[in-house]
Amino acid sequence: MRFITAGESHGPVLTTIIEGLPAGMPLNINEINEALAKRQEGYGRGNRMKIETDKVEVTSGVRHGKTLGSPVTFSVVNKDYKNWQSVMSAEPIEEELSKKSRVVHRPRPGHADLVGGIKYHHKDLRNVLERSSARETTMRVAIGAVASQLLSALGVEVVAYVCELGGIKGQVDVSEMSLAEIRDRANQSPVKMVDAEKEQQVKDKIDETKKAGNTLGGVVEVIAEGLPIGLGSYTQWDKKIDARLAKAMVSINAFKGVEFGDGFEVGRRYGSEVMDEIAYNAELGFYRLSNHLGGIEGGMTNGMPVIVRGVKKPIPTLYRPLQSVDIYSKEEYQASIERSDTTAVPAASIIAQAVVATELTQAILEKFPNDSFDELQQAVANYREYSKNPDMWLEEE
Amino acid sequence: MRFITAGESHGPVLTTIIEGLPAGMPLNINEINEALAKRQEGYGRGNRMKIETDKVEVTSGVRHGKTLGSPVTFSVVNKDYKNWQSVMSAEPIEEELSKKSRVVHRPRPGHADLVGGIKYHHKDLRNVLERSSARETTMRVAIGAVASQLLSALGVEVVAYVCELGGIKGQVDVSEMSLAEIRDRANQSPVKMVDAEKEQQVKDKIDETKKAGNTLGGVVEVIAEGLPIGLGSYTQWDKKIDARLAKAMVSINAFKGVEFGDGFEVGRRYGSEVMDEIAYNAELGFYRLSNHLGGIEGGMTNGMPVIVRGVKKPIPTLYRPLQSVDIYSKEEYQASIERSDTTAVPAASIIAQAVVATELTQAILEKFPNDSFDELQQAVANYREYSKNPDMWLEEE
Amino acid sequence: MRFITAGESHGPVLTTIIEGLPAGMPLNINEINEALAKRQEGYGRGNRMKIETDKVEVTSGVRHGKTLGSPVTFSVVNKDYKNWQSVMSAEPIEEELSKKSRVVHRPRPGHADLVGGIKYHHKDLRNVLERSSARETTMRVAIGAVASQLLSALGVEVVAYVCELGGIKGQVDVSEMSLAEIRDRANQSPVKMVDAEKEQQVKDKIDETKKAGNTLGGVVEVIAEGLPIGLGSYTQWDKKIDARLAKAMVSINAFKGVEFGDGFEVGRRYGSEVMDEIAYNAELGFYRLSNHLGGIEGGMTNGMPVIVRGVKKPIPTLYRPLQSVDIYSKEEYQASIERSDTTAVPAASIIAQAVVATELTQAILEKFPNDSFDELQQAVANYREYSKNPDMWLEEE
Amino acid sequence: MRFITAGESHGPVLTTIIEGLPAGMPLNINEINEALAKRQEGYGRGNRMKIETDKVEVTSGVRHGKTLGSPVTFSVVNKDYKNWQSVMSAEPIEEELSKKSRVVHRPRPGHADLVGGIKYHHKDLRNVLERSSARETTMRVAIGAVASQLLSALGVEVVAYVCELGGIKGQVDVSEMSLAEIRDRANQSPVKMVDAEKEQQVKDKIDETKKAGNTLGGVVEVIAEGLPIGLGSYTQWDKKIDARLAKAMVSINAFKGVEFGDGFEVGRRYGSEVMDEIAYNAELGFYRLSNHLGGIEGGMTNGMPVIVRGVKKPIPTLYRPLQSVDIYSKEEYQASIERSDTTAVPAASIIAQAVVATELTQAILEKFPNDSFDELQQAVANYREYSKNPDMWLEEE
């Protein structure tokens, strides 16, 4: 499976093409739209999200509710575009108009503006910010929603929630909860946290921060259960499933770190404290007594839940301005506000879930035959049977 | 540039082929061997490293000290192979011998053994552990040493050190030090730390841990200075330089997390505390007043030092054994010892430096023309001039 | 540069996303539409092309007539879709409707129908033929039109014409003609031939063949002039420019062969007859006295015109039916007609030109720096100067 | 599966690493060496092949006669290297020696010399010719021999022979012969032709041509039988199996064209003459009444034998010299002889067989699960059963 996302933040349409999905897979478009709606939610969002109500249109690769095996195209119309038509027109516009109207020459710290302008020789920094905008993540959520449907039909569930926001950590031990429970709690929470007791505290912090013209970051966690054993591989560095998940997570706008299982804590503990001992019974086959390593050993899924966390920095656009320099005049100024979320960490949990689901789907499609979806389902089912039955594995030939 | 590494831990030879290096680049083989030697060092290593003295043989792609533009092949002989010839023979061996001799049927928790056996249908887990071994990192260090020479000739320096080992953090503020100073200190330290005052404490902890039959992990930091502005891109998720560095770091054996700049801390601070404000003067062009974001904005290098940290879990092979299950008998046992480093965190810093140098080199080769090395050097020099001179960027056409 | 094309023949929209174009490149949308119009022309076409008037809509990556460096999205509406809405709906449709309406169970020889059905477990062969249709080439022509504009701005011109149709060869020696002249003649010819004298003969053959319910194939030639020396490389098999062009040409629907320069004839001649001897003068630098090898030596462009020919089989859908078997009843029948061009060889010349332009553009973008278009132009200009001036090449360092 | 080949013609060693082979696949090293020996044979070869007796050493990825699933490394020692040690040394050599000894400044027409020198800024053209040499094909034959063993174990056979040499065509209709018979005849023939009656004529032509200081090219054909239906895909241009085979064939040194089935002839016939009609019986399932299209429809294998032909130009190095220009003095001269085969077309048939086997193996590994070889075998066997049994395909769910 490969995909490319396209589209400017205030352009007419966001588009993605996904190539290499199995044929005959049921695709529920409503569920994709529900995922998009979740990305737009979250306590602390600003006004743009009120303008848009993202819905995908499917223009290829799906017929009568099932994939065709051909490339799938999604597009999402930007409603706000109607206010930006001449600014964002693909066609040349009159000199007068192009020269002055909304040319951006004041790069915002923490954004791609300045570097992108230099790299691509853009003299209007709008040419950078339109694409570097997190609006792009709309399409990654749409792709992730397809991946989630595929995974779900194979018995794999992926959930995400906010485990920390503005320095306030949830205290609930999710390892004791079912994924369904985690998902329900996160869905009901305006800050996508599982720990309901911390919720009000977090909302208060968001309110205060907003008043102060500041912004907040946080940490999100994604958990995937029911994965086949042995996704990824140790045989070459670029095949390791954790390495690939790390890339996917850090590729999300504003993410500055990623960790698996006990994460950075494993560097502070003894070896005897962080290994997942092996046990066996006839029903489960081989299994683990703990999950310090987040479901991954040797760059492969080991049958325990995959646990990935990512940290998102606070949104760099502040009401309280940052120092910057006008690229033309070289005069210092206080950086302008392009948009105004106080925090987008709740949305980030939805995006993180999407990219993890996408990468796990990739790994499944690499391991199992998948021209058709029934072939894939059958192969995964057979392999599950095999992998928990050592006699099938170890029998003499 | 692309490369594949090959070789088993006790096989005859480790090999890598690197394809896509510029032609005419001076290549100092001694420097590669020095990097390999450093990987073998470090307080807390066990016996295997005393057997091997890794040295590359260059069998293609280099002539009279310069690259040819054709694929470069490195091989490193495993001296230990002479003790393993029949066990590791490529040729079929007699039934008698193959059946019993050193067949591994006891998977070690924290290693690829069990999952790899199931995934690849290996009935002798040696077939897994020989490749999943960290011995593979020898070749990644060799590749990184080539990358470092290329970078160095372009004015980019990369250093690494151990910032935390077994829970003991170095307290020195490296942001006040030159890279040369950091490198010197790390080189002189048996635990590759910059903070000399913590060194004895760390060594003592290693000694105690060794006595207790346990192991230690830690955190390493890599810093790269002098990078051109604009490596990587925001235009598509998989082009972001931080995403790619995250993949490279997490692909190192036993790494469980990665972070950039202030890392996970950015999730706990206000937006106003973690942005790198922009300033300008005629000599430097645009520059930053701080480096919270670790030299990366919008998935691109921004001219500040790139700062990446990775966490390595403790080596899972312990003298103090872990519970596991014999794959044939299904009986529980206490997992065996295959090797015996107490910690490999100092070596991990060398490997981390190598993979970061490699990935940054990739990004440079993608951005700049590089059929020949002088062409590359000229292009980078011109671009540096351009990128600190807004008049070249913004002039009217 | 990478791209994916998407869209079904009777679906609502064809789409492509092109990722990795330089920023700041002027893009003339009219010229793209002109190329699309040419693809729809040609003596011997059937009715579908009268329904459609292909025009691209640009929904990302272009602003005010210039590329942004972000992914470019093109969509082309299928006008015919309005007649196929329930048949081709992405949404599930009522059982009754889905069951019978236009289910295809009679595979056509020479098409993907039967194999595609088996491979993807499609029980309605429409699920195959909608994508395997040559309608897909619309998007490849659009991509090629972008590539042609890029090449043209760098001084590279690509033309194509029909050199043989239905067994009738043009006799004009195009090596004596300018590319402009070849292009003009082909454009004016309803069969896209350069040899005006053969034109009537070919048209008569098409008329007769149409009457007889049969179809015709032919051979097209693409010529590219002004290419930088050294696109492609001998250093690894998959970098050779001729290998890559061969892939691109054979990927066109119904193409069964490709050849370069004197092509298959070189296998029948002596070595002394097919080599392109080297000469030198101060103005041109090194040049060749002939072009038997079609502008490519050692998998690289050598400065002479690149000459590629491809053969297209006759369209397999005939009024005169072919034997096939109903997949459900297993009864033999005479294969049905889905569409009815007598020949599409003239259109094939336009497609061939597009894919060659696309692949040459790829090779240029790999060799030269291209974040911005002015950077690319400057680098190509400098390299041209260099490559015809041996003193710049051979000077002592 | 991916692989990189490395090594200079007179360097110490040729190497390849093959990554992504299934684990547990029996690998017969003797058979690889037999393929290498065949590449060195053929009436009309010169002296270099008498110096070398190519044999692979396997240094990774294989244990006790079976693949490990880890990367496989092959190396072949160049015996001739002992005569070239200082000329080809990787280490810097003394100025005196480097300056004059065997520096190549006279580019040979038809070789990569001149273009490679310009592209890579090589001032000694030996830096080009050492890698552009057809000696590289040694490794492609070794890789192909692995692929052939894999295919053979799956019931797929690939053979090749010379169908035309120096303008003399074999007249035997191979479509009436078994692959075993074709292979036997080609193996017994010093010119690898199937038509024994033409053999003497061809040998005489080679003798005459040699006397005249000239060289000969020719056409080779590769046939693959027993392939699963549906390798490759029509869903995206770069997945088409014929496009990929075209790339592989044209990537062979000196190949200037490729065609499938009836090849360029299909452009000269009526549609009714070149389609392969479909029939059905209970034993075979769906099958074809002819094979004009060379076993490929819609970019996929259709169950008929895959038939590919490639044309090789005559070797450009002639005793009868060609005009060229000294790159330093710019004086014309008559191009020198570096080696002296009269024809290498017989060897080319072996190489063509290898690259086709390699590409078909790639396509099989993409379609079927292959972590372990028994998994692959089982999946292919199941699919074969399925694909000839329409009831399995079309049954109601």
Side-chain angles (χ1 to χ4, degrees), chain D residues 161-178:
Chain D
Y161 69 98
V162 171
C163 41
E164 188 178 339
L165 203 164
I168 302 166
K169 281 194 195 194
Q171 300 297 336
V172 170
D173 180 2
V174 298
S175 72
E176 300 293 309
M177 298 167 65
S178 73

Side-chain angles (χ1 to χ4, degrees), chain A residues 14-282:
Chain A
L14 305 170
T15 310
T16 192
I17 302 178
I18 312 171
E19 202 278 325
L21 285 169
M25 173 182 144
L27 197 66
N28 185 321
I29 297 166
N30 287 341
E31 287 183 19
I32 299 170
N33 289 331
E34 285 163 20
L36 294 184
K38 274 194 210 162
R39 195 198 69 96
Q40 297 189 275
E41 295 167 7
Y43 201 81
R45 302 305 295 275
N47 292 319
R48 173 71 189 274
M49 287 304 97
K50 291 171 188 158
I51 300 173
E52 306 294 345
T53 323
D54 296 339
K55 290 211 180 302
V56 294
E57 190 184 1
V58 183
T59 58
S60 80
V62 181
R63 185 176 172 226
H64 300 170
K66 289 190 175 178
T67 54
L68 291 172
S70 55
V72 172
T73 306
F74 291 150
S75 57
V76 168
V77 168
N78 280 328
K79 291 190 182 169
D80 201 8
Y81 174 63
K82 64 176 182 290
N83 305 314
W84 293 77
Q85 289 195 49
S86 76
V87 175
M88 293 303 297
S89 162
E91 299 283 347
I93 59 169
E94 280 177 54
E95 186 75 4
E96 197 54 26
L97 204 64
S98 82
K99 228 172 177 174
K100 297 290 174 192
S101 85
R102 303 207 199 177
V103 167
V104 179
H105 44 98
R106 298 187 152 189
R108 299 160 303 162
H111 281 286
D113 304 0
L114 178 60
V115 176
I118 293 171
K119 176 182 175 74
Y120 291 112
H121 296 208
H122 281 311
K123 293 164 192 185
D124 179 354
L125 301 183
R126 173 161 304 288
N127 291 345
V128 178
L129 65 88
E130 283 289 336
R131 178 64 190 161
S132 64
S133 160
R135 183 100 186 101
E136 188 268 346
T137 58
T138 306
M139 276 320 185
R140 301 196 69 193
V141 169
I143 297 161
V146 174
S148 288
Q149 290 186 39
L150 182 147
L151 292 172
S152 191
L154 299 175
V156 179
E157 296 299 326
V158 186
V159 304
Y161 67 100
V162 171
C163 41
E164 189 178 338
L165 203 163
I168 302 166
K169 281 194 194 196
Q171 301 296 336
V172 170
D173 180 2
V174 298
S175 72
E176 301 293 311
M177 298 168 63
S178 72
L179 288 207
E181 200 175 345
I182 296 169
R183 180 189 290 121
D184 286 350
R185 289 213 199 177
N187 279 346
Q188 284 157 26
S189 164
V191 290
K192 306 283 180 204
M193 288 183 83
V194 171
D195 185 348
E197 292 184 24
K198 294 286 177 185
E199 205 170 283
Q200 193 54 51
Q201 196 181 332
V202 169
K203 286 170 67 178
D204 291 348
K205 176 124 192 194
I206 293 172
D207 291 342
E208 284 162 33
T209 304
K210 187 173 183 175
K211 249 176 252 167
N214 221 324
T215 55
L216 295 172
V219 178
V220 301
E221 179 167 294
V222 186
I223 310 174
E225 273 188 19
L227 290 162
I229 291 176
L231 300 181
S233 176
Y234 59 85
T235 56
Q236 196 70 195
W237 74 277
D238 54 5
K239 292 179 153 181
K240 295 187 182 182
I241 191 67
D242 41 4
R244 294 168 53 171
L245 289 168
K247 180 177 183 182
M249 287 290 277
V250 174
S251 78
I252 302 172
N253 299 44
F255 272 51
K256 299 302 288 183
V258 62
E259 59 179 12
F260 298 86
D262 291 353
F264 273 85
E265 279 308 305
V266 297
R268 287 144 202 159
R269 301 212 190 114
Y270 287 109
S272 58
E273 296 169 322
V274 300
M275 297 304 144
D276 302 315
E277 295 182 301
I278 299 171
Y280 173 83
N281 70 32

